[in-house]
Amino acid sequence: MKKDQRPSYDHVPMVVIKRLPKYYRYLGELVEKKLERISSQKLAQMMDISASQLRQDLNHFGEFGQQGYGYRVEDLYQEIGKIIGLEYQYNMVIVGAGNLGRALANYSNFCLRGFCLWALFDIDPELVGLNVNGIGIKDISELHDFVADNNISIGIITVPKEAAQGVADRLVAAGVKGIWNFAPVDIKVPDSIILENEHLADSLMVLSFRLRGKMG
Amino acid sequence: MKKDQRPSYDHVPMVVIKRLPKYYRYLGELVEKKLERISSQKLAQMMDISASQLRQDLNHFGEFGQQGYGYRVEDLYQEIGKIIGLEYQYNMVIVGAGNLGRALANYSNFCLRGFCLWALFDIDPELVGLNVNGIGIKDISELHDFVADNNISIGIITVPKEAAQGVADRLVAAGVKGIWNFAPVDIKVPDSIILENEHLADSLMVLSFRLRGKMG
DNA sequence: CAAATATTGATATATATTTATCAATGATTA
DNA sequence: TAATCATTGATAAATATATATCAATATTTG
């Protein structure tokens, strides 16, 4: 008998994937409001997208609605959570215990959602040994063993851009499966490693572009 | 005689706009390396996109290249900077002096690039009066007058999601032109206000989705 | 300085994404 | 329970985006 296997959802376009968290967010609010069901029409209106897009997006992953009735809010919320992969626990480390690294470490909500931070790393001896939100800052030399020994699957990079590629290489060598990069540079990783960039300065530039016409 | 007017670049698709910072970043590196010229072919290869896309993107804004020669690196860098709007000074405030707000305040590089932070605001009396990176934390009650009196064009929201919409309303009422929102919620603003969202949790979920197949 | 080469910007083609439509069908109503 | 209504999921059409091609032309070479 074939082992129960998770669907792979290959061929689902990335634009669709990027909308999943938004669906999850809105459904979460509806769950809190104890709403039992909702139509694609109404949900789409709330989210300021088209009902067609909403239904088509969901249909990439299965048939979750009932004709003439709509979607059961709680069920759909759970299903999307599973699709996103939120039933897993992801163990994480942050490399770079500067302001941003420490800010992320303090954002303890992540851990509640299955994204669990176990350590920060830094090269600065002044920082090593300190504690952020109950999480220790270790010397970068300990990175490899810590990642390997503690089943760390995500490495978060919050170092200056000059150091980012080196850190990425070390994280990959140590065995992380994914990298969340906040350094303002495009790092290179093997195809098998999942890379998500958070280029804050880029967003600010997009804001700048869009503001141009409105400036004094 | 018609006043020299900045082009509006309406009808340029948002996907193209979002790539501009990346072009700017790579060209900046080439400028530092004192490279004089580059072809779309080579630059595209460096950036891991197609040469066709690069040329087509640039042609939305003008003709910057020379046939048989390529693009002058320094010129193109400057031009893209202007297109993005980096010759303006944007005055900014942060509302929410928690970890993330303070981390952003500490990231003083922004100010060098024309994005100048003038104050943080918070509701917590414990924080009001403190100083972050030389920038004072003020009481939220002072927000309106400060924004209005100091030609603040960008408001950065780093408060919990429950407070985000209220803060956005106050920023808009006080006269900001754009909002950079880090709260994990979709806030509503008038059409005339430019809104950029930085939904960090959403990115982490996309990472989660893409990691699914690779987990234990 | 003429010929060969490189490279753009424009256009055409292909692909991807979004939106509109509607038959099928379960829910609701009388 | 039969008739009506609401809403999905699928398909088709429209739109947007990316890629390939190539004539035009500036640069480089011999």
Side-chain angles (χ1 to χ4, degrees):
Chain A
M1 199 174 109
K2 203 164 80 179
K3 178 98 181 297
D4 185 36
Q5 183 127 24
R6 187 155 301 282
S8 75
Y9 304 134
D10 293 347
H11 316 301
V12 179
M14 188 52 71
V15 283
V16 175
I17 306 302
K18 288 199 180 136
R19 284 193 289 264
L20 289 177
K22 184 168 172 183
Y23 294 135
Y24 191 71
R25 207 147 27 83
Y26 276 82
L27 286 164
E29 283 180 26
L30 297 179
V31 166
E32 277 180 27
K33 287 183 190 150
K34 309 253 191 264
L35 191 71
E36 193 162 311
R37 68 166 169 164
I38 195 161
S39 67
S40 60
Q41 187 69 220
K42 290 233 187 71
L43 180 54
Q45 195 180 346
M46 284 178 54
M47 296 181 62
D48 206 20
I49 61 173
S50 77
S52 233
Q53 180 170 77
L54 171 45
R55 291 203 302 274
Q56 180 136 311
D57 279 359
L58 295 180
N59 290 159
H60 278 108
F61 304 99
E63 303 183 9
F64 305 115
Q66 292 170 250
Q67 279 165 335
Y69 179 91
Y71 298 85
R72 295 187 187 277
V73 171
E74 174 70 35
D75 289 1
L76 187 55
Y77 178 70
Q78 295 300 335
E79 287 291 346
I80 293 181
K82 264 189 240 167
I83 292 164
I84 294 175
L86 299 183
E87 81 278 23
Y88 291 111
Q89 179 176 314
Y90 297 96
N91 298 315
M92 311 194 299
V93 297
I94 293 176
V95 185
N99 292 302
L100 185 55
R102 293 202 304 268
L104 291 174
N106 271 303
Y107 193 62
S108 42
N109 283 30
F110 282 145
C111 201
L112 301 177
R113 295 292 191 126
F115 297 90
C116 233
L117 179 68
W118 293 104
L120 292 104
F121 291 86
D122 207 287
I123 200 171
D124 182 354
E126 300 265 307
L127 292 173
V128 172
L130 297 181
N131 220 289
V132 180
N133 198 25
I135 296 152
I137 304 178
K138 298 175 190 297
D139 189 272
I140 187 81
S141 63
E142 297 176 51
L143 179 64
H144 184 284
D145 288 353
F146 190 93
V147 167
D149 296 346
N150 293 280
N151 191 29
I152 302 296
S153 43
I154 297 177
I156 304 177
I157 299 182
T158 53
V159 298
K161 67 168 188 264
E162 298 74 20
Q165 183 63 59
V167 166
D169 294 343
R170 294 176 78 161
L171 284 166
V172 169
V176 303
K177 308 271 198 318
I179 288 180
W180 196 15
N181 174 48
F182 284 78
V185 64
D186 290 337
I187 59 183
K188 309 267 187 225
V189 294
D191 287 348
S192 61
I193 303 295
I194 308 299
L195 172 65
E196 282 288 317
N197 287 300
E198 207 71 59
H199 285 157
L200 300 182
D202 286 18
S203 305
L204 197 51
M205 288 191 195
V206 172
L207 185 55
S208 168
F209 175 88
R210 298 177 61 200
L211 279 172
R212 274 172 22 274
K214 301 171 190 289
M215 295 301 292
Chain B
M1 199 175 106
K2 202 162 80 180
K3 177 98 180 300
D4 185 36
Q5 184 126 21
R6 185 156 302 281
S8 74
Y9 304 134
D10 292 347
H11 316 302
V12 179
M14 188 52 70
V15 282
V16 175
I17 306 303
K18 288 199 181 136
R19 284 193 289 264
L20 289 177
K22 184 169 171 182
Y23 294 136
Y24 191 71
R25 207 148 27 84
Y26 276 82
L27 286 164
E29 282 180 26
L30 296 179
V31 167
E32 278 181 25
K33 288 184 189 150
K34 308 256 192 261
L35 192 71
E36 193 162 308
R37 67 165 170 167
I38 194 161
S39 67
S40 60
Q41 187 67 219
K42 290 234 189 72
L43 181 53
Q45 194 180 347
M46 284 179 53
M47 296 181 62
D48 207 19
I49 60 174
S50 77
S52 232
Q53 179 171 78
L54 171 45
R55 291 203 303 275
Q56 180 139 310
D57 279 359
L58 295 180
N59 289 159
H60 278 109
F61 304 100
E63 302 184 10
F64 305 116
Q66 292 170 249
Q67 279 166 335
Y69 180 90
Y71 298 84
R72 293 186 189 278
V73 171
E74 174 70 35
D75 290 1
L76 187 55
Y77 178 70
Q78 294 301 333
E79 287 291 346
I80 293 182
K82 266 189 238 167
I83 292 164
I84 293 175
L86 298 183
E87 81 278 25
Y88 292 112
Q89 179 177 310
Y90 298 96
N91 297 315
M92 312 194 297
V93 297
I94 293 176
V95 185
N99 292 300
L100 185 55
R102 293 201 305 268
L104 290 174
N106 271 303
Y107 192 65
S108 43
N109 284 30
F110 282 146
C111 201
L112 301 177
R113 295 290 192 128
F115 296 91
C116 233
L117 180 68
W118 293 104
L120 291 105
F121 292 87
D122 206 288
I123 200 173
D124 182 354
E126 301 265 306
L127 292 173
V128 172
L130 296 182
N131 222 289
V132 179
N133 197 25
I135 297 154
I137 304 178
K138 299 175 190 295
D139 189 274
I140 186 81
S141 63
E142 297 175 51
L143 179 64
H144 184 283
D145 288 353
F146 190 93
V147 167
D149 296 346
N150 292 280
N151 190 30
I152 301 297
S153 43
I154 297 177
I156 304 176
I157 300 182
T158 52
V159 298
K161 67 168 189 262
E162 297 74 21
Q165 183 63 59
V167 166
D169 294 344
R170 294 176 79 162
L171 284 166
V172 170
V176 302
K177 308 271 198 317
I179 288 180
W180 196 15
N181 174 47
F182 284 79
V185 63
D186 289 337
I187 59 183
K188 308 268 187 222
V189 294
D191 287 348
S192 61
I193 302 295
I194 308 298
L195 172 65
E196 281 288 317
N197 287 300
E198 208 71 59
H199 285 157
L200 299 183
D202 286 18
S203 305
L204 197 51
M205 287 191 197
V206 172
L207 185 54
S208 167
F209 175 88
R210 298 176 62 201
L211 279 173
R212 276 173 20 274
K214 301 169 189 292
M215 294 302 291

